[in-house]
Amino acid sequence: MANGLGCVRARNQHLQPQNMKIAPSYRTIVALLAFPTLCTLTQLLALAADTAQKKLVVGFSQVGAESGWRTANTESIKSEAQKRGIDLRFSDAQQKQENQIKAIRSFIAQGVDVIAFSPVVETGFEPVLQEAKKAGIPVVLSDRAVKVSDPSLYVTFLGSDFVEEGRRAANAVAKLTGGKANIAELVGTVGSAPAIDRKKGFEEVLSKYPDMKIIMSQSGDFTRAKGKEVMEAFLKAPNAKEINVLFAHNDDMALGAIQAMEEAGIKPGQDIKIVSIDGVRGAFEAMKDGKLNVTVECNPLLGPQLFDLIEKVANKEEVPKRVVSQEGVYDQAQAAAELPKRQY
Amino acid sequence: MIDWVSDLLFWIVFGSILFLLRGQRIFWSVGALGLLLLFNQFFTPGFFHIQILDGHLYGSRIDVLNQGAKVMLLSLGMVLVIATGGVDLSVGAVMAIAAAVSSRLLVTEHQSAGAAIAAALVISTLAGAWNGVLVAGFGIQPIVATLVLMVAGRGVAQLITEGQIINFLDPTMVYLGNGHLFALPFTLTLVLVTLGLAFFLVRRTALGLFIESVGDNDEASRYSGINAKQVKFLVYTFSGFCAGLAGLVACSNIKSADANNIGLYLELDAILAVVVGGTSLQGGRFYLIGAVVGGLFIQTLTTTLYARNVSSDISPVPKALAIIAVCLFQSESFRTRLSHVVRPFGRILKPLGSRPPQKSITATHDSPKP
Amino acid sequence: MANSLLEIAGLTKGFPGVKALDAVDFAIQRGEIHALMGENGAGKSTLIKVLTGVFPRDAGETRLEDKIIAPRSPREAEGLGISTVYQEVNLIPHLSVAENICLGRQPTWLGAIRWRAIAKRAAAALARLDLSLDVNRQLSSYSIAIQQLIAIARALDISAKLLILDEPTSSLDRTEVEELFKKLRKLRESGLGIIFITHFLDQVYEISDLITVLRNGRRVGCFATQELPRIKLVSHMIGKAVHQVEALEQKRASTASIRSEAPMLEAHGLGRKGSLRPLDLDIRPGEVVGLAGLLGSGRTETAKLLFGVDRPDQGTVRINRQAVRFNSPRAAIRYGIALTPEDRKVAGIIPNLTVRENIVLALQASRGSWQRLSVTEQAKLADRFIQALAIKTPSREQTVRNLSGGNQQKVLLGRWLATEPKLFILDEPTRGIDVGAKAEVEKLIQSLRQDGLAVLFISSELEEVVRQSQRVVVLRDRRKVVELTEGEISEETIMQSIATHNLERPAA
Amino acid sequence: MTRLNPKYIPLLATALVLLAVFSTGSLLYPNFGTPRVIVNLLNDSAFVGVAAVGESFVILSGGIDLSVGSMVAFVGILVAKLLQVGWDPFLAMGIALCVGTAAGVVMGGLIHYFELPPFLVTLAGLFCLRGLGFVIYPESIGIDHPFYGQVLPQLSILVAPKAVLPFTAMCFLGSVIVGTFVASFTRFGRNVYAIGSNENSARLMGLPIGRTKITAYALAAFFSALGGIVATFYMQSGNPASFAGLELDAIAAVVIGGTLLTGGVGFIPGTLMGVLILGLIQQIIIFNGTLNSWWTKIVIGALLLVFIVLQKLISGGGDQES
């Protein structure tokens, strides 16, 4: 109608002159102040219980809690620190590099003795590592590496060799199929070091076998849900029948894919051979049931090895630049025996 | 051969549904879904292949139904919230809470599956009620009120699981997201039952009228004696319940609860589904079935992208383009502009369009009585 | 017209389904106050909005000082010297007075706003209206009347040649209106052209030099105010012959004897701080009680308290001798009270729902969500009221938004009649609807009364109150002044009781 | 403005919370109340802060921009890629700013001309920009251009012993100053407030609605793009997968900074404080070292709640969207 534009917010104009009272806001300000005060109190209590004595202070920045592997890794580090009486400042980056940089910078400000971290991605840590170096705090890398122009920015790197894991997986595939394979690949989170390196190592070996080729490849983000969903899509492709091997960049995705296969009436481990990486407990259970063929171990229990290194570094002892964690390749035959040892 | 026949049958049924819906608002949503399916029919080999496996149907379209259940469930709750003029950003986080609660009870506390499921549903419903209290009780803007739980909820979920990914094998829990009933995924039954429940709630009772009324004109509804606060409280609570169901399905689907990833960004998909389903973000008229169709559309899009081997990183782009396209077609000013540019096309669009045609001249015009 | 300030020729504007303006001519001179009159839907607002570029025109020509203009936005129109002040104060409540006056044309220095210059300029603009305010205070801390003046100050701040006032007085009380008129006369002397739109006939005769009447998007004519009798004006506006209007005006409420029944509702000392001073009020079945008073005198506030929209903080309400207490419309409805609100758009219709849904809404709400009215019951109910109230709608499934104001009001009446109320509070039921619908509403009120309903009738049009009511309660300054009974009721007595004491200005 | 205007109360509350959080941290942990931590805070919050300044404008105008995080990531990878193929850094940054701003113009245009809800349009922007980032390059690219390696570290000021104010922090503070100026001392800025407060009135007051809205989104996109560039300074790399959810941090910072989410009320310096509060909470949790990271989310959620309720109380419970 004619007054189509008017009236819409007419009510606002008819508001009575606002009371200029400030009284209610005082109340809210008090409420606001109460919150941090409460935090302070609880924290003080916690501190009081924690009798401060001179301990080795280590700051550790973890990637996140994105997979079973990662939480096992976290557990191992935390429990080992507790066992050794080390004051561990643990920070979870929630898969965000920016959080990790913040944490490292904060460790520097806190004046910890050693900084250790598992980088979310390889690049971009140079400036903050330089700060650490300037502050004289040694840095130990765990699980994943960083790309830096100046190798003196970190003291040592403890972790698996992802490329090697990829190679091992490819060799396992070759052994399973006699060098003839049409492979579906579940790639890890795009851009992450394990995904890049595992693919690299895998393809490196693949180039030696002319009859082994990847016919489908898609990211499953290292998660079970995505692994399952992507596998479902793989199995609907017209050339799905040709797939005889699944290579998953981690066990979680493989476990998701196994479910998809079972729903499709395909026998995982037989109709389609499955090779994955990590070696978590779930994978061993699946192997025991014959649903998974090979898992290439990527040991998450880095705690003891890590703190050995850290203590050496703190005591200014000489350590090698690269320490590869000890890990193996397991197949179904070994699964039953190995399973009880897997607590994660 | 069989495929050819079943495809034809499918299209005949689909076409007749579309024909029946002409002139209705959800014509657009079903039409969009049809276009997407048509694309797959010709360009995605194997997409329409369907077979019987272990006594149930198996194929890409079945996957869409199963995987899409989460979004469909969420959108059923979301559509009512949006109808009241609100939005619930916290559904993804509530899903994570539900998953965390159920698996924690199941695995760590060794409770029965029934208890775990019930507890998860109760807690997620309470989470919804919390949103309801903020929005209805305190009168806080919905985006903001639910933002609180969206931010904090995932933290709470992680608190419950203690940051662990909890795996479970309980058959009842696993059945929720993986079982089959009448040769179709059980999740479909779950969606249909929830749809039925929602339908009963809003169409067999007067709640639907109240929701639309509150969403259209809050103040006038209050003057008419509608308890607008109660209505709002109810829809947020229901949305929490739906999110809880979706969370259970999501964790059951992969037999584990991953507080970090379950339902991540799914609130956006749910809102999208509702909008694709023809319900305006401004509130008012809502379309329950439209929301379900919208959920199907989103999942079909996702599955199509997987099937066509589009990298999962780039897959948001088509989704974004779909949002814009759908919104543009719902935007009146766009349709007017379009019909100016392409007259003949505009003439086709107009009668099919979602707005009821202008029926009378006198109705819009104040004329003194003779 | 050689020396016209503004000249409009053949202006045409159509909306889907309606021709809002049909070849309208209009002209205004410098130093002239020109009233634009017409019923709702006559095209006044459309004319203004096309003139100021809110809507594009379909055809026609506008000349400002003999130059053809075609502004595409209010901003462009302002740049040309045409400023508009709307009925609702269209300013920004969160910003300061100074900023509201200068918004969009702040003096800058190298792109940076000079806040001091703004304050000075705003003070100067207000001084032109003999106002002196703290220009740094938030706009929302001033009364609506002051805000209205600030809006005018804003309109004059640029070198305005033509000032358009679209119902500027509807939220002002009498003294405020006089204040405003004083200022308008001063502006007229300074050579400004003023287009003045209002519903109040008195005001038109008080202030305007010329009157242009529009009806159904067409120009009926332009008249010198002094030479146009009121009755003629009304007949031009509504397009009826004079004797019909007179018949309408002379129809007096039949003096049915007020039954000595017990009051349906009794309020004692009902009040709310800042809204209504304690008052006593009782209404009997079969009686229409008029509530008269100026805008802001507490009429709507009384209705809101009785209907549970606002919560009273003192006093008691008894319904059928039983003490009751309600704090929501829902509770009030349960006691058989109904209210059609003053602001139909905000608190009345649900615009995108159908006529049927709008009609059944209150009844359904009182039944709760579980006892749903079946579709057939709903349809029956809707059809009944569409017929009974002669609601002009193509079907009961038409969205209410597409109905005219009068028909929307009837839908609202239908909504409440469906609940079979015992007390019907009608807050300005005839505002903004055409004369025909007005008469029907009035007829309806009388028939409700005869059916034994208690009616509380609120209107700013005194003649209407006089015609309708058996008793009239007069309010002033949020307080009950007097209660007039049968025989005492006339426009004069009401006016007198409103004006007996000198009105103090409500504190800002 | 001499008296305490009620509109300053949220700002005051934010300042008090900032003070309270900071003193809590300083009381609890040694080394917390040092200049170094403050400088770190500015440095760590720089890209969020720059983006939040932009977000403030959109929120003040009554809209919302969800594309912030994607924009930061997109610009980061764009700059990194351009540098990798040998572009001049300034040219690369200029292009990135232009592309980013253009995206903002497109979003603003869709919102204004087709009356689409900002929520959905910027959501589409979120998806699009994220995807485009991956199209440019799906992995993190390190930047080893001499400008980044050698020039940038010198662009810093020693503000206190062991506390170097880096260039990123200066960008942040600069953005806040520019933002404050634009919001308070330009016609555009005042128009943003007017539109956010009451769009209909603003239209009838003759303010340029379309231009202002589109500019607000363009400005937000510009600041997000700038945030992306600051992020490349910060991380010396670009990564299309990073900064997911940054928009929520930005929105939270704006709200905690005292800006009304319905628009029309708020101050850019409040956003600065909001960003610092978020950063401080995270710092406290890192300093504690035993609290899990999810506490960050819970505390931010709680803080959001407190501020929302506070705003509700101050705006008097009226003024609800219809």
Side-chain angles (χ1 to χ4, degrees):
Chain A
M1 280 316 306
N3 44 2
L5 270 174
C7 294
V8 179
R9 301 191 60 156
R11 251 172 336 122
N12 288 355
Q13 277 78 48
H14 292 301
L15 281 178
Q16 292 299 316
Q18 266 184 10
N19 284 339
M20 307 288 271
K21 268 190 301 184
I22 307 177
S25 39
Y26 277 134
R27 231 178 298 145
T28 44
I29 289 169
V30 169
L32 275 175
L33 286 176
F35 175 67
T37 319
L38 204 71
C39 290
T40 316
L41 279 176
T42 49
Q43 287 302 310
L44 281 174
L45 283 174
L47 270 193
D50 206 33
T51 43
Q53 43 168 269
K54 191 57 201 158
K55 288 199 257 179
L56 182 62
V57 183
V58 176
F60 186 87
S61 169
Q62 180 61 287
V63 174
E66 76 280 13
S67 65
W69 190 95
R70 186 65 58 192
T71 51
N73 181 245
T74 301
E75 260 329 291
S76 160
I77 289 164
K78 279 186 177 170
S79 61
E80 188 67 22
Q82 205 175 18
K83 215 191 297 173
R84 298 188 188 212
I86 288 171
D87 180 1
L88 178 71
R89 308 275 164 85
F90 183 87
S91 166
D92 172 358
Q94 300 168 309
Q95 284 128 287
K96 287 184 187 162
Q97 186 184 14
E98 56 272 26
N99 285 346
Q100 206 152 31
I101 295 176
K102 266 180 224 176
I104 296 169
R105 198 163 268 137
S106 172
F107 293 148
I108 300 169
Q110 290 176 43
V112 299
D113 298 315
V114 179
I115 292 172
F117 74 110
S118 304
V120 176
V121 290
E122 291 185 329
T123 48
F125 287 99
E126 195 137 354
V128 72
L129 291 183
Q130 254 151 8
E131 275 178 44
K133 193 181 170 188
K134 263 187 224 155
I137 301 174
V139 173
V140 176
L141 300 180
S142 151
D143 166 43
R144 295 181 182 180
V146 293
K147 271 188 209 153
V148 280
S149 51
D150 174 7
S152 75
L153 287 179
Y154 65 92
V155 184
T156 178
F157 165 37
L158 163 73
S160 320
D161 183 342
F162 296 138
V163 183
E164 179 57 26
E165 285 166 3
R167 287 191 206 110
R168 286 178 183 176
N171 286 326
V173 171
K175 211 167 116 191
L176 278 170
T177 59
K180 274 190 187 158
N182 288 319
I183 302 163
E185 185 188 24
L186 283 170
V187 183
T189 303
V190 178
S192 68
I196 297 166
D197 287 353
R198 285 170 185 170
K199 192 174 177 65
K200 196 165 117 197
F202 192 80
E203 285 175 349
E204 187 186 306
V205 173
L206 226 57
S207 61
K208 288 187 231 151
Y209 296 92
D211 288 335
M212 278 172 39
K213 54 183 182 297
I214 296 174
I215 56 171
M216 287 171 209
S217 176
Q218 171 77 274
S219 169
D221 274 346
F222 282 134
T223 65
R224 223 185 248 215
K226 274 285 185 64
K228 183 178 180 187
E229 218 177 328
V230 171
M231 192 68 216
E232 280 177 359
F234 280 172
L235 292 176
K236 306 300 179 325
N239 55 346
K241 294 247 157 49
E242 296 166 22
I243 303 172
N244 64 352
V245 171
L246 171 73
F247 167 46
H249 282 197
N250 79 346
D251 288 339
D252 283 305
M253 290 192 290
L255 293 174
I258 287 172
Q259 289 183 32
M261 289 182 205
E262 286 175 333
E263 279 163 27
I266 293 167
K267 289 208 181 81
Q270 289 178 26
D271 300 342
I272 295 179
K273 308 270 191 235
I274 304 174
V275 173
S276 70
I277 298 176
D278 272 3
V280 300
R281 188 180 168 86
F284 278 90
E285 280 164 355
M287 279 202 289
K288 206 179 101 195
D289 299 340
K291 293 175 181 169
L292 190 95
N293 298 81
V294 174
T295 182
V296 175
E297 187 186 33
C298 176
N299 189 1
L301 306 184
L302 297 177
Q305 269 178 296
L306 180 69
F307 284 106
D308 281 348
L309 274 175
I310 286 174
E311 279 174 348
K312 274 188 199 153
V313 167
N315 295 332
K316 309 253 182 311
E317 289 171 38
E318 203 56 34
V319 288
K321 195 80 194 165
R322 176 80 173 91
V323 181
V324 178
S325 52
Q326 295 155 359
E327 40 207 30
V329 178
Y330 296 92
D331 58 22
Q332 291 178 349
Q334 295 152 289
E338 192 65 22
L339 186 58
K341 293 189 213 158
R342 300 277 149 176
Q343 68 269 58
Y344 57 90
Chain B
M1 183 58 190
I2 300 294
D3 266 13
W4 182 81
V5 173
S6 81
D7 286 6
L8 195 67
L9 212 67
F10 175 84
W11 282 113
I12 289 171
V13 171
F14 199 96
S16 18
I17 291 176
L18 206 56
F19 182 75
L20 286 175
L21 290 176
R22 71 195 189 286
Q24 303 222 0
R25 183 112 184 183
I26 64 167
F27 172 86
W28 289 106
S29 341
V30 180
L33 181 64
L35 281 180
L36 197 57
L37 286 173
L38 205 62
F39 171 84
N40 281 316
Q41 170 84 72
F42 291 112
F43 299 104
T44 312
F47 192 91
F48 267 69
H49 180 73
I50 211 155
Q51 68 191 77
I52 292 175
L53 247 176
D54 295 342
H56 56 81
L57 289 170
Y58 180 81
S60 280
R61 278 173 295 174
I62 306 299
D63 282 354
V64 169
L65 288 178
N66 195 16
Q67 293 286 355
K70 284 166 278 182
V71 179
M72 287 191 269
L73 284 171
L74 288 184
S75 62
L76 276 174
M78 188 71 82
V79 69
L80 298 186
V81 171
I82 288 180
T84 63
V87 73
D88 186 353
L89 294 180
S90 71
V91 287
V94 173
M95 279 175 76
I97 292 178
V101 168
S102 61
S103 48
R104 166 97 201 227
L105 283 178
L106 203 61
V107 177
T108 324
E109 316 291 335
H110 305 291
Q111 300 290 319
S112 72
I117 290 169
L121 288 179
V122 167
I123 290 194
S124 51
T125 309
L126 284 178
W130 157 265
N131 284 330
V133 167
L134 287 185
V135 173
F138 290 86
I140 294 169
Q141 207 197 358
I143 287 194
V144 192
T146 54
L147 184 70
V148 172
L149 195 57
M150 182 194 189
V151 173
R154 209 163 278 284
V156 172
Q158 278 166 330
L159 206 64
I160 295 169
T161 59
E162 292 170 334
Q164 302 290 319
I165 296 172
I166 303 178
N167 297 313
F168 53 81
L169 289 165
D170 182 275
T172 318
M173 269 300 275
V174 170
Y175 183 80
L176 272 184
N178 297 296
H180 287 87
L181 195 66
F182 309 123
L184 286 166
F186 176 68
T187 46
L188 186 67
T189 316
L190 217 51
V191 171
L192 290 179
V193 167
T194 316
L195 175 66
L197 178 69
F199 204 83
F200 173 80
L201 270 179
V202 300
R203 298 297 184 212
R204 289 290 116 197
T205 76
L207 206 55
L209 177 65
F210 295 164
I211 289 172
E212 289 182 337
S213 163
V214 167
D216 204 17
N217 189 341
D218 198 347
E219 181 94 347
S221 307
R222 199 164 76 91
Y223 271 79
S224 304
I226 292 172
N227 193 341
K229 286 186 176 178
Q230 191 186 39
V231 168
K232 285 186 184 175
F233 176 78
L234 273 177
V235 295
Y236 284 93
T237 310
F238 184 69
S239 174
F241 171 79
C242 288
L245 264 185
L248 285 174
V249 167
C251 75
S252 162
N253 233 317
I254 52 167
K255 301 172 190 164
S256 68
D258 178 353
N260 235 341
N261 290 311
I262 278 186
L264 201 60
Y265 303 125
L266 230 51
E267 55 278 346
L268 302 183
D269 280 5
I271 294 168
L272 194 53
V274 170
V275 174
V276 170
T279 303
S280 155
L281 271 184
Q282 316 292 325
R285 282 267 183 255
F286 66 90
Y287 304 86
L288 273 181
I289 296 174
V292 172
V293 172
L296 272 183
F297 176 84
I298 306 271
Q299 189 58 42
T300 309
L301 192 62
T302 312
T303 307
T304 304
L305 294 171
Y306 281 136
R308 302 195 53 74
N309 220 350
V310 176
S311 162
S312 64
D313 319 309
I314 302 169
S315 61
V317 177
K319 217 184 248 180
L321 298 179
I323 307 175
I324 291 296
V326 169
C327 287
L328 280 179
F329 273 94
Q330 284 181 358
S331 149
E332 209 162 345
S333 64
F334 176 77
R335 282 212 303 268
T336 335
R337 270 162 219 249
L338 192 70
S339 62
H340 281 310
V341 179
V342 219
R343 288 257 168 210
F345 189 50
R347 232 172 268 143
I348 301 166
L349 281 176
K350 273 265 156 85
L352 288 177
S354 43
R355 295 212 164 250
Q358 290 287 344
K359 281 193 177 142
S360 134
I361 293 168
T362 49
T364 56
H365 183 55
D366 253 309
S367 57
K369 295 191 91 179
Chain C
M1 295 194 200
N3 202 16
S4 280
L5 172 63
L6 178 89
E7 219 172 310
I8 292 173
L11 200 65
T12 301
K13 168 74 190 168
F15 292 110
V18 192
K19 202 155 208 183
L21 288 178
D22 190 0
V24 168
D25 299 337
F26 179 81
I28 180 170
Q29 319 280 326
R30 286 189 192 80
E32 174 183 299
I33 296 181
H34 195 140
L36 199 54
M37 300 291 291
E39 287 292 289
N40 268 35
K44 296 167 304 194
S45 295
T46 313
L47 178 66
I48 298 309
K49 282 182 174 152
V50 171
L51 180 59
T52 55
V54 178
F55 296 146
R57 67 191 65 190
D58 294 345
E61 198 180 76
T62 314
R63 284 166 184 273
L64 184 71
E65 295 179 323
D66 286 332
K67 267 181 281 185
I68 292 183
I69 58 162
R72 279 160 301 172
S73 69
R75 186 184 180 75
E76 216 178 308
E78 275 187 6
L80 293 164
I82 304 175
S83 293
T84 315
V85 174
Y86 295 92
Q87 175 181 5
E88 294 118 19
V89 180
N90 278 293
L91 296 176
I92 311 296
H94 289 133
L95 299 183
S96 72
V97 172
E99 205 172 354
N100 266 296
I101 291 176
C102 298
L103 204 61
R105 40 179 190 253
Q106 299 97 330
T108 55
W109 182 75
L110 297 178
I113 290 177
R114 294 160 57 212
W115 283 101
R116 274 158 195 263
I118 286 183
K120 223 182 259 172
R121 190 162 140 188
L126 289 170
R128 219 176 142 185
L129 295 172
D130 301 325
L131 270 173
S132 139
L133 304 170
D134 179 356
V135 293
N136 286 325
R137 271 175 70 182
Q138 264 192 42
L139 180 81
S140 56
S141 64
Y142 287 100
S143 73
I144 295 291
I146 300 284
Q147 290 188 22
Q148 190 70 267
L149 290 174
I150 293 170
I152 294 175
R154 173 184 162 81
L156 297 174
D157 176 52
I158 47 164
S159 47
K161 298 165 187 154
L162 179 65
L163 179 64
I164 301 169
L165 299 172
D166 189 354
E167 302 215 32
T169 55
S170 56
S171 334
L172 305 188
D173 69 29
R174 184 154 293 236
T175 43
E176 287 165 341
V177 170
E178 272 161 22
E179 201 66 23
L180 176 68
F181 282 179
K182 225 186 281 168
K183 277 151 197 174
L184 290 186
R185 289 194 193 98
K186 203 178 147 202
L187 291 174
R188 170 169 63 184
E189 277 158 33
S190 72
L192 206 70
I194 298 174
I195 298 178
F196 182 73
I197 300 172
T198 182
H199 275 134
F200 301 109
L201 295 189
D202 291 348
Q203 294 178 1
V204 173
Y205 280 95
E206 197 178 333
I207 190 92
S208 72
D209 305 313
L210 287 173
I211 300 174
T212 290
V213 180
L214 295 178
R215 190 172 72 234
N216 288 342
R218 292 201 185 86
R219 193 184 83 139
V220 176
C222 178
F223 312 91
T225 309
Q226 300 311 320
E227 295 157 19
L228 183 70
R230 283 183 187 221
I231 206 77
K232 216 48 193 261
L233 172 60
V234 174
S235 81
H236 282 312
M237 282 164 66
I238 63 178
K240 286 184 187 176
V242 171
H243 59 91
Q244 275 178 301
V245 180
E246 280 168 328
L248 189 72
E249 284 195 343
Q250 281 165 6
K251 201 181 83 190
R252 218 25 192 91
S254 61
T255 50
S257 61
I258 300 162
R259 288 167 237 174
S260 54
E261 274 181 55
M264 188 268 162
L265 175 136
E266 299 162 274
H268 285 289
L270 189 70
R272 181 182 156 89
K273 225 177 149 198
S275 148
L276 188 72
R277 311 237 191 122
L279 62 68
D280 296 342
L281 183 71
D282 58 296
I283 311 169
R284 291 181 173 75
E287 180 184 41
V288 176
V289 175
L291 211 49
L294 300 172
L295 206 101
S297 61
R299 299 174 324 203
T300 298
E301 287 76 3
T302 309
K304 280 184 167 176
L305 284 181
L306 288 177
F307 196 56
V309 177
D310 292 337
R311 207 175 296 191
D313 51 17
Q314 50 187 312
T316 55
V317 177
R318 286 148 69 92
I319 288 178
N320 296 330
R321 297 190 179 277
Q322 281 211 311
V324 295
R325 181 167 282 277
F326 29 72
N327 45 28
S328 71
R330 279 177 351 106
I333 292 164
R334 231 173 276 145
Y335 288 104
I337 304 180
L339 166 84
T340 59
E342 182 185 19
D343 196 333
R344 204 164 49 228
K345 274 210 169 114
V346 172
I349 60 160
I350 316 285
N352 290 306
L353 295 193
T354 62
V355 172
R356 168 180 58 83
E357 286 166 317
N358 268 283
I359 287 179
V360 302
L361 198 60
L363 179 62
Q364 181 66 69
S366 68
R367 287 181 155 209
S369 36
W370 296 105
Q371 284 173 290
R372 178 172 168 271
L373 291 159
S374 74
V375 178
T376 44
E377 281 174 293
Q378 293 191 12
K380 235 190 257 166
L381 209 60
D383 286 343
R384 197 174 106 212
F385 286 106
I386 290 172
Q387 209 165 29
L389 300 171
I391 298 173
K392 254 196 279 169
T393 172
S395 92
R396 60 170 180 264
E397 299 303 324
Q398 174 73 297
T399 48
V400 163
R401 191 186 39 174
N402 292 340
L403 262 51
S404 69
N407 283 310
Q408 289 180 352
Q409 186 70 50
K410 286 190 202 163
V411 168
L412 283 186
L413 290 170
R415 176 191 294 172
W416 288 113
L417 292 176
T419 65
E420 295 173 358
K422 308 245 170 29
L423 168 64
F424 208 150
I425 306 172
L426 298 155
D427 194 354
E428 300 273 14
T430 56
R431 174 184 280 187
I433 67 178
D434 61 65
V435 168
K438 232 177 229 186
E440 285 176 42
V441 170
E442 291 194 15
K443 230 190 294 169
L444 177 76
I445 293 172
Q446 288 309 322
S447 77
L448 291 178
R449 185 182 66 78
Q450 276 150 19
D451 291 347
L453 253 75
V455 177
L456 184 63
F457 180 75
I458 304 174
S459 173
S460 353
E461 292 183 36
L462 291 187
E463 57 189 79
E464 221 173 64
V465 176
V466 170
R467 255 203 317 276
Q468 292 287 328
S469 321
Q470 273 77 53
R471 253 182 323 136
V472 174
V473 170
V474 182
L475 295 173
R476 191 187 63 226
D477 279 350
R478 306 179 186 283
R479 159 190 309 195
K480 179 170 162 183
V481 187
V482 74
E483 194 170 310
L484 304 171
T485 48
E486 190 100 58
E488 303 173 326
I489 303 171
S490 72
E491 287 190 49
E492 290 73 35
T493 49
I494 296 174
M495 303 260 275
Q496 259 169 17
S497 21
I498 290 175
T500 5
H501 301 285
N502 281 335
L503 288 174
E504 318 122 49
R505 263 186 174 250
Chain D
M1 315 216 173
T2 44
R3 85 198 76 203
L4 176 70
N5 201 315
K7 68 181 178 180
Y8 292 121
I9 290 173
L11 199 64
L12 197 73
T14 310
L16 282 175
V17 169
L18 180 64
L19 214 70
V21 173
F22 186 72
S23 30
T24 309
S26 315
L27 270 172
L28 287 181
Y29 308 109
N31 294 348
F32 193 96
T34 54
R36 174 167 209 146
V37 172
I38 299 169
V39 166
N40 279 358
L41 193 63
L42 286 171
N43 188 8
D44 291 333
S45 312
F47 52 92
V48 191
V50 173
V53 169
E55 182 77 55
S56 305
F57 279 95
V58 172
I59 292 182
L60 280 174
S61 80
I64 198 156
D65 187 353
L66 298 180
S67 70
V68 171
S70 299
M71 178 70 86
V72 171
F74 166 77
V75 166
I77 190 67
L78 180 63
V79 169
K81 182 73 192 172
L82 291 179
L83 289 178
Q84 195 187 38
V85 296
W87 283 45
D88 177 77
F90 293 102
L91 192 60
M93 288 176 207
I95 291 285
L97 284 178
C98 290
V99 172
T101 311
V105 170
V106 170
M107 288 191 283
L110 283 171
I111 291 165
H112 174 68
Y113 288 113
F114 299 122
E115 291 151 33
L116 301 184
F119 185 84
L120 280 183
V121 171
T122 56
L123 180 61
L126 180 154
F127 287 151
C128 268
L129 288 168
R130 183 68 65 186
L132 283 179
F134 278 101
V135 170
I136 292 172
Y137 198 73
E139 290 165 21
S140 174
I141 302 177
I143 299 174
D144 47 11
H145 194 277
F147 174 76
Y148 277 75
Q150 285 141 34
V151 181
L152 268 182
Q154 284 164 18
L155 288 176
S156 52
I157 310 166
L158 193 72
V159 286
K162 281 191 175 182
V164 180
L165 189 71
F167 188 62
T168 49
M170 289 186 243
C171 288
F172 177 24
L173 295 176
S175 298
V176 171
I177 293 168
V178 170
T180 309
F181 175 81
V182 172
S184 301
F185 288 94
T186 65
R187 283 184 188 173
F188 160 74
R190 303 321 293 172
N191 290 348
V192 167
Y193 278 88
I195 290 173
S197 189
N198 189 335
E199 182 171 337
N200 195 35
S201 286
R203 177 176 293 115
L204 293 173
M205 284 169 97
L207 303 182
I209 304 289
R211 204 174 72 206
T212 306
K213 264 193 180 175
I214 293 172
T215 314
Y217 283 95
L219 195 68
F222 172 83
F223 273 115
S224 316
L226 190 65
I229 289 172
V230 170
T232 63
F233 295 162
Y234 181 69
M235 310 213 293
Q236 303 221 340
S237 66
N239 184 354
S242 55
F243 307 115
L246 183 78
E247 55 280 346
L248 287 184
D249 289 343
I251 293 169
V254 173
V255 172
I256 293 178
T259 299
L260 209 61
L261 249 177
T262 40
V265 179
F267 301 94
I268 305 293
T271 300
L272 167 70
M273 290 193 269
V275 169
L276 293 182
I277 289 173
L278 292 192
L280 274 173
I281 291 170
Q282 217 176 356
Q283 283 296 328
I284 288 181
I285 280 160
I286 295 173
F287 262 79
N288 175 290
T290 53
L291 283 176
N292 280 308
S293 64
W294 48 75
W295 280 108
T296 319
K297 294 176 184 168
I298 296 177
V299 173
I300 292 175
L303 213 55
L304 262 178
L305 182 69
V306 167
F307 268 85
I308 290 157
V309 172
L310 173 72
Q311 289 182 347
K312 195 72 208 173
L313 287 178
I314 288 170
S315 65
D319 209 46
Q320 218 181 319
E321 275 305 282
S322 57

